[in-house]
Amino acid sequence: MSTKQRKRIWAILAIYSLLIVYFMFFGFGRPTAAGGLQEYQFNLMPHTLALKFPNFSDLKYFHIWFFNLGNLVAFIPFGILIPLLLRLKFPTFIALFFSGILILETVQMLTFLGSFDIDDALVNTLGASIGFYAYELGSRYTDRGKRAIAILLWAGIFSFAVIGFSELLSKMAAPVEGPEQVLSEAGSLPYEPDQRFQIGSERIEPAKNLYSGNAEGPTEFVYQLDGKDILLSLNYGIPAAAKSDTGQIHISVDGKEVDTYSVYKEPNSANASETAMEKVNELVITIEGEVMLWDVTFKEMGHWWSD
């Protein structure tokens, strides 16, 4: 490779790197979002990779799918350009690249212009790995045109394989829902008056259980769940006959509040929600005000390998 060509590739690499840094720190409205951050955000434990093939349900959140894909594809050129300039074996290349990504992720977190996410760093590194091996296989062609086509084809094949493997891994790792259980079966029964009540135009007829708050002070219900991973489902609202107009529901796990719902009499309608919780020993539901909860259930979450 001539000196002129090397300078040209160095220039391309420098410009492309600056573009990536710009999008990592200033793109996608990061400075605006940073204004509301007061704590460092980080994820140090790898989860499943957020890569999958698009489907119809992704059209509503296409920007999220595209962003996740970009975390892979945008870093493929580094695996092609850097080997063009430096003679590095794959372990050395990937160690240096991964270290650089970790530094950028750390700066993102410290400047509140993003978070430190080990999953993002791994996907970025996978993208660079795809580029490295696509270049290594494609560079066997002496003809420049065939070489470029081969590199692009190999990059596409490897990307397809990585996304397919990631989607398979996500499906295998996805928690499996157990049968629905009435929460009162997990501990002391809540106060269950035999009554029906009205919320707006809807007549509520609890079928499984009923939790009743009052205006005098918080009402607390405690359950022991022996470290289960659960998906808690509940229905709630303020009856039309209630004197108070507002109330709150607090969900706590092992002494730590994990969810809060503010409930209002107007607009007068029933609400429903689901909350996933891990390793629940003690579950506490606290009701403030004349809020009613009914048909509160949970499903135990597990994995195929734990059966």
Side-chain angles (χ1 to χ4, degrees):
M1 183 187 302
S2 68
T3 304
K4 186 177 180 180
Q5 288 176 321
R6 290 181 65 84
K7 287 182 178 179
R8 188 179 299 163
I9 295 172
W10 273 115
I12 293 171
L13 179 60
I15 293 170
Y16 190 75
S17 299
L18 287 173
L19 283 172
I20 292 296
V21 169
Y22 171 80
F23 282 112
M24 288 184 69
F25 288 90
F26 304 105
F28 311 106
R30 292 183 190 274
T32 303
L37 293 178
Q38 298 178 341
E39 296 181 352
Y40 294 136
Q41 297 186 332
F42 55 88
N43 166 38
L44 301 177
M45 293 297 294
H47 298 82
T48 54
L49 304 178
L51 296 171
K52 63 176 185 175
F53 296 112
N55 52 45
F56 286 112
S57 63
D58 293 316
L59 294 177
K60 185 177 179 180
Y61 304 102
F62 178 79
H63 63 288
I64 297 177
W65 175 84
F66 188 77
F67 179 82
N68 291 331
L69 180 66
N71 272 340
L72 178 78
V73 175
F75 291 84
I76 291 177
F78 290 105
I80 298 171
L81 296 173
I82 293 175
L84 272 170
L85 297 166
L86 304 172
R87 293 179 177 272
L88 297 176
K89 293 187 178 298
F90 180 74
T92 304
F93 164 76
I94 214 63
L96 291 173
F97 183 86
F98 187 59
S99 299
I101 289 296
L102 292 181
I103 291 171
L104 289 174
E105 289 282 328
T106 303
V107 175
Q108 269 190 318
M109 178 186 70
L110 295 177
T111 57
F112 296 108
L113 291 171
S115 62
F116 182 100
D117 193 333
I118 193 66
D119 290 332
D120 283 352
L122 291 172
V123 173
N124 299 159
T125 306
L126 276 173
S129 302
I130 288 171
F132 186 95
Y133 281 109
Y135 171 75
E136 187 169 280
L137 292 171
S139 62
R140 296 175 182 178
Y141 291 90
T142 56
D143 181 78
R144 188 176 299 176
K146 289 182 179 180
R147 186 190 308 159
I149 292 172
I151 291 172
L152 289 174
L153 284 175
W154 279 115
I157 291 169
F158 287 142
S159 297
F160 189 89
V162 166
I163 295 171
F165 179 75
S166 171
E167 189 162 355
L168 177 63
L169 194 64
S170 296
K171 289 179 179 179
M172 291 176 63
V176 179
E177 294 183 3
E180 185 178 77
Q181 302 178 55
V182 178
L183 185 60
S184 55
E185 294 174 355
S188 58
L189 289 170
Y191 174 56
E192 295 190 58
D194 182 18
Q195 68 177 50
R196 302 166 185 176
F197 53 93
Q198 198 86 10
I199 294 183
S201 60
E202 186 177 356
R203 186 172 178 79
I204 306 298
E205 299 183 12
K208 298 170 182 174
N209 53 22
L210 176 65
Y211 297 71
S212 178
N214 60 73
E216 298 176 1
T219 307
E220 194 173 88
F221 304 93
V222 182
Y223 297 93
Q224 302 300 323
L225 293 176
D226 303 322
K228 292 183 174 71
D229 295 343
I230 67 168
L231 181 66
L232 180 70
S233 303
L234 48 88
N235 301 276
Y236 59 92
I238 297 179
K243 296 179 181 179
S244 58
D245 294 329
T246 63
Q248 283 192 326
I249 303 165
H250 303 275
I251 310 293
S252 300
V253 173
D254 300 332
K256 182 179 180 181
E257 189 169 300
V258 296
D259 225 336
T260 300
Y261 303 99
S262 296
V263 191
Y264 302 95
K265 195 172 184 180
E266 298 292 342
N268 209 336
S269 59
N271 302 278
S273 70
E274 288 187 336
T275 304
M277 295 173 281
E278 296 181 347
K279 296 180 176 57
V280 181
N281 290 300
E282 183 181 77
L283 173 67
V284 179
I285 299 176
T286 305
I287 304 175
E288 296 180 1
E290 295 178 86
V291 179
M292 291 286 197
L293 276 75
W294 65 94
D295 295 346
V296 181
T297 63
F298 71 93
K299 294 179 182 179
E300 188 171 355
M301 309 297 289
H303 296 89
W304 59 270
W305 59 80
S306 61
D307 293 338

